[in-house]
Amino acid sequence: MSDPKMTNPDNDRPAGEAPASESSPRRPAARRRRVMAAAVVALVLVAAGAGFWVWHEQPGFCNAICHNPMDPYLPTYEAEPGQPSVDKWGNEVQDAAGMMAAAHRAQNDDTCLSCHVPTLGEQVSEGLAWVAGNYYDPLDERSVTDLTAARGVAGDEFCLNEACHDLTRPELVELTADRAFNPHVSQHDEYACSDCHKAHRASVMICAQCHTEAEVPAGWIQTVDDAQLMKPISVPDAA
């Protein structure tokens, strides 16, 4: 007869002893370690993804990822209203308040994505163009037509909405009624906001070309032929 205390050479346990079952204390401990390791990895991935998304919301992301073509735009965003600056072309702007990118950042802490809502198709095509080097430098400005299409809105809704300027056209006219010349009254054709308000270059007080009594805000210019706008603009109603 075999000795019950004889050890099994295969598993080094007493002969006759059953293998460790799922109820063995060793198995739950190993399972807990695997679960904890998976949870840690998941938390790290979530934290990394959240951090990337926060960075994605910042203007520096556009400048870092799309290095060359976005370089001229970041200074127009970071410029301080009340101080001289340059536009996206490198032309002098007497007061950065005339560029809506700088003005909105200073007043509302807006970021690029406050106005620019890129579609997935745009991001993919622009990313491929950047990798291939097939792009304009500096990158073409987005027209307000492009921006409104990306947001799924039309016309004045891009600016006149609850999240931005919660006004109607008549209310906007009333808001500037105390000026010697009210720029929001349609003297001739009705202009779009972007005809005067520019984001990455000096805004244009087009009324002042004919109406000398029209007030020209600080940093604005009177005509697109002004010396401050020496280089061509690719899109007439570019923001």
Side-chain angles (χ1 to χ4, degrees):
M1 294 180 66
S2 61
D3 187 347
K5 296 182 179 179
M6 182 180 298
T7 57
N8 188 321
D10 294 331
N11 53 21
D12 197 28
R13 66 174 182 270
E17 182 179 315
S21 65
E22 289 297 323
S23 62
S24 170
R26 289 179 294 175
R27 292 297 178 89
R31 188 182 304 115
R32 284 196 297 270
R33 286 195 294 270
R34 289 195 297 269
V35 171
M36 290 179 64
V40 169
V41 171
L43 286 173
V44 169
L45 291 176
V46 169
F52 180 83
W53 187 255
V54 170
W55 182 42
H56 171 266
E57 297 282 330
Q58 304 306 312
F61 173 85
C62 303
N63 176 246
I65 299 301
C66 301
H67 180 63
N68 290 338
M70 290 302 298
D71 276 351
Y73 286 90
L74 191 60
T76 67
Y77 172 83
E78 294 178 335
E80 289 296 333
Q83 300 294 324
S85 186
V86 294
D87 67 7
K88 59 158 285 190
W89 296 108
N91 300 310
E92 292 184 3
V93 177
Q94 293 181 355
D95 187 335
M99 297 187 292
M100 296 300 100
H104 283 78
R105 175 198 58 78
Q107 294 177 8
N108 308 315
D109 201 25
D110 288 334
T111 67
C112 301
L113 295 182
S114 297
C115 290
H116 297 271
V117 182
T119 63
L120 180 60
E122 285 177 329
Q123 294 183 70
V124 171
S125 62
E126 289 179 359
L128 292 174
W130 178 67
V131 171
N134 183 26
Y135 56 82
Y136 294 102
D137 188 6
L139 196 67
D140 279 349
E141 298 176 47
R142 283 286 183 267
S143 70
V144 172
T145 301
D146 295 330
L147 297 177
T148 53
R151 280 189 178 276
V153 299
D156 291 344
E157 291 181 57
F158 182 76
C159 297
L160 304 182
N161 58 71
E162 292 182 357
C164 299
H165 302 281
D166 193 9
L167 298 166
T168 63
R169 273 275 184 171
E171 289 172 337
L172 186 60
V173 171
E174 184 179 351
L175 186 66
T176 53
D178 59 338
R179 300 190 181 186
F181 183 88
N182 193 337
H184 296 116
V185 173
S186 299
Q187 302 289 340
H188 306 289
D189 294 332
E190 185 172 286
Y191 289 100
C193 301
S194 60
D195 289 330
C196 293
H197 298 271
K198 309 296 181 182
H200 301 286
R201 51 192 172 93
S203 295
V204 184
M205 186 56 176
I206 56 177
C207 301
Q209 296 178 75
C210 298
H211 301 276
T212 56
E213 71 275 25
E215 177 185 347
V216 180
W220 288 43
I221 56 178
Q222 296 183 8
T223 169
V224 292
D225 295 324
D226 190 280
Q228 294 185 54
L229 201 58
M230 298 177 290
K231 298 182 180 180
I233 297 301
S234 57
V235 187
D237 64 337

